[in-house]
Amino acid sequence: MQTLRNVAPLMLLAGAMLLLTGCSVQVQEAPSVPLAVGETATATMAGPDGAAVGTVTLTQGHHGVIIAAELTGLTPGGHGFHIHEVGSCTPDFTAAGGHFAPRGHGHGYDHEGGVHAGDLPNVFAAADGTVRADVFTSAVTLTAGAVHSLFDEDGSAIIIHEKPDTYGEDPAAGARIACGVIVRN
């Protein structure tokens, strides 16, 4: 009986170690790409006529990207504000493609399967047409090589829409009124 008492704690310890080892293996994933913390990028925004509308600056943090918009010349009220899948604004902003969605999620914050990585909150222009907004998202990165990197093979762009996004499956944000290709600083 004495031997069983001595062996039981060892078996319990061995079982706990196996359990912990098994858990750590399940949690580990493929090696991730190191974040480019502090890296910045800019999108110089222009309207359909080529007139300057402002800038959008993106800064990589430890947990996501801060997107700071400083815009002018917009109609007062809400405007859809999105990251689009292609880094091109010519000839008429349609070259920017759809919303950036590297994982194939649907549109809108209410979408049960997840949202496009490019879905961002609306921005609101004051009575004088100016916008100053800061948005944080963990759905994108400036780090090259990551699945959700804005710097994939065809780049990315920021689009401002004429109306606010509905946040539903159909954005209904209207025409694209400003575009800027995201470029590294």
Side-chain angles (χ1 to χ4, degrees):
M1 193 64 160
Q2 182 68 24
T3 305
L4 281 177
R5 278 189 224 161
N6 291 340
V7 173
L10 290 175
M11 289 178 61
L12 185 58
L13 180 62
M17 289 178 67
L18 282 173
L19 181 61
L20 288 173
T21 302
C23 287
S24 67
V25 170
Q26 289 177 339
V27 171
Q28 291 178 357
E29 296 179 8
S32 62
V33 178
L35 288 178
V37 174
E39 184 174 336
T40 62
T42 304
T44 302
M45 306 299 293
D49 60 358
V53 175
T55 58
V56 175
T57 304
L58 300 90
T59 305
Q60 179 68 55
H62 289 281
H63 305 287
V65 175
I66 296 172
I67 303 171
E70 293 191 33
L71 310 167
T72 60
L74 301 181
T75 57
H79 296 275
F81 182 58
H82 304 116
I83 301 169
H84 281 245
E85 64 188 342
V86 179
S88 178
C89 293
T90 57
D92 61 358
F93 302 162
T94 59
H99 293 178
F100 182 66
R103 293 186 170 107
H105 296 285
H107 178 272
Y109 291 121
D110 292 331
H111 195 280
E112 68 179 71
V115 302
H116 290 151
D119 287 348
L120 300 172
N122 293 323
V123 294
F124 292 85
D128 66 356
T130 61
V131 171
R132 174 66 184 100
D134 285 346
V135 175
F136 172 82
T137 180
S138 60
V140 302
T141 185
L142 303 182
T143 302
V147 171
H148 59 306
S149 176
L150 297 179
F151 295 109
D152 58 10
E153 61 200 32
D154 57 6
S156 303
I158 300 284
I159 294 282
I160 307 293
H161 292 269
E162 70 176 330
K163 301 178 198 173
D165 192 312
T166 65
Y167 300 137
E169 286 188 42
D170 177 11
R176 299 172 183 202
I177 61 169
C179 183
V181 175
I182 300 170
V183 295
R184 291 183 189 281
N185 290 335

